[in-house]
Amino acid sequence: MNKKIFGKPIITQEAVQKRIKELGSNITRDYAGQELYLIGVLKGAFAFYADLARVISLPVRVGFILASSYQGATHSSGKVKILSDIVDDIKGKNVLLVEDIVDSGLTLQFLNKTLKAKKPKSLKVCVLLNKTEGRQVDVDLDYIGFEIPDKYIVGYGLDYDNKYRNLPYLAILENIHE
Ligand code: 5GP
């Protein structure tokens, strides 16, 4: 039987927290004197989003988009669906999109297009994990937590089949044969 398990942490809880503080400082510096609308992409970004929001020292408004994920698979189908959109008007606002991970770039490309149509003043992207090897389309990333190899990651918000999101660290999901 083929079973999926998670192995050793690829990024520890301490390393994640340290890097998020650095990202928060950079964002606070770059948007000094301005307001920021933080949009989290659910479900995967929930842990990263909550920690990041609390280390940004600016007037921050919060909003969320629920986008479809790989739904039980470990590779992108290329089809992205918005299951629940943001409820506030972002026209004329500085928007920072907070994503858990960018792989093919298809999800982000789609979300960027959708959000730009709402005419924000600015739109930037902050991503915890960047898997460049899987890239299929060009996307601009303004803030990156970690560059990672082309492995399937779980923990700290990231799932396999909607499980493991509550792990406090990031781990590689592995196949084992029983
Ligand atoms: P992309 O459209 O860039 O291929 O993938 C983006 C989305 O796919 C992420 O928001 C995430 O939901 C999912 N994803 C991509 N790579 C991984 C991974 O290694 N682990 C998990 N859990 N989800 C991933």
Side-chain angles (χ1 to χ4, degrees):
M1 203 184 111
N2 206 348
K3 200 175 159 192
K4 294 201 183 292
I5 57 152
F6 57 89
K8 275 193 301 192
I10 181 174
I11 303 170
T12 63
Q13 191 173 1
E14 292 73 25
V16 171
Q17 295 306 327
K18 182 170 175 275
R19 184 70 187 122
I20 291 176
K21 276 196 189 129
E22 290 167 1
L23 292 173
S25 304
N26 294 345
I27 292 165
T28 303
R29 180 200 61 211
D30 295 350
Y31 289 91
Q34 302 180 70
E35 292 187 350
L36 189 56
Y37 194 96
L38 272 191
I39 298 183
V41 185
L42 297 174
K43 300 174 183 168
F46 83 91
F48 176 44
Y49 183 99
D51 286 343
L52 182 70
R54 285 176 290 176
V55 291
I56 297 175
S57 306
L58 296 168
V60 162
R61 289 195 175 87
V62 304
F64 300 93
I65 290 181
L66 177 59
S68 60
S69 70
Y70 292 2
Q71 284 161 353
T74 53
H75 282 94
S76 177
S77 65
K79 292 196 191 98
V80 187
K81 261 198 287 182
I82 292 187
L83 305 175
S84 171
D85 206 345
I86 43 165
V87 291
D88 303 312
D89 185 8
I90 56 166
K91 192 173 177 189
K93 300 206 163 77
N94 291 312
V95 172
L96 182 60
L97 188 63
V98 180
E99 258 276 37
D100 52 355
I101 184 164
V102 177
D103 182 12
S104 67
L106 292 167
T107 305
L108 188 57
Q109 186 186 52
F110 178 82
L111 292 176
N112 262 333
K113 202 174 138 218
T114 309
L115 290 172
K116 271 187 189 145
K118 296 178 192 283
K119 307 242 182 309
K121 180 179 169 196
S122 68
L123 176 60
K124 286 190 181 184
V125 178
C126 178
V127 58
L128 178 64
L129 305 174
N130 186 23
K131 274 207 257 189
T132 48
E133 286 166 59
R135 203 66 101 246
Q136 291 177 30
V137 290
D138 269 346
V139 281
D140 288 334
L141 304 178
D142 301 281
Y143 304 95
I144 300 171
F146 300 93
E147 303 283 352
I148 55 156
D150 192 14
K151 302 277 184 202
Y152 195 81
I153 309 295
V154 293
Y156 199 70
L158 288 99
D159 74 315
Y160 174 69
D161 204 15
N162 210 11
K163 289 181 295 191
Y164 312 123
R165 293 193 196 274
N166 59 325
L167 285 181
Y169 54 85
L170 291 149
I172 295 177
L173 193 71
E174 291 163 348
N175 272 316
I176 53 159
H177 303 281
E178 291 184 323

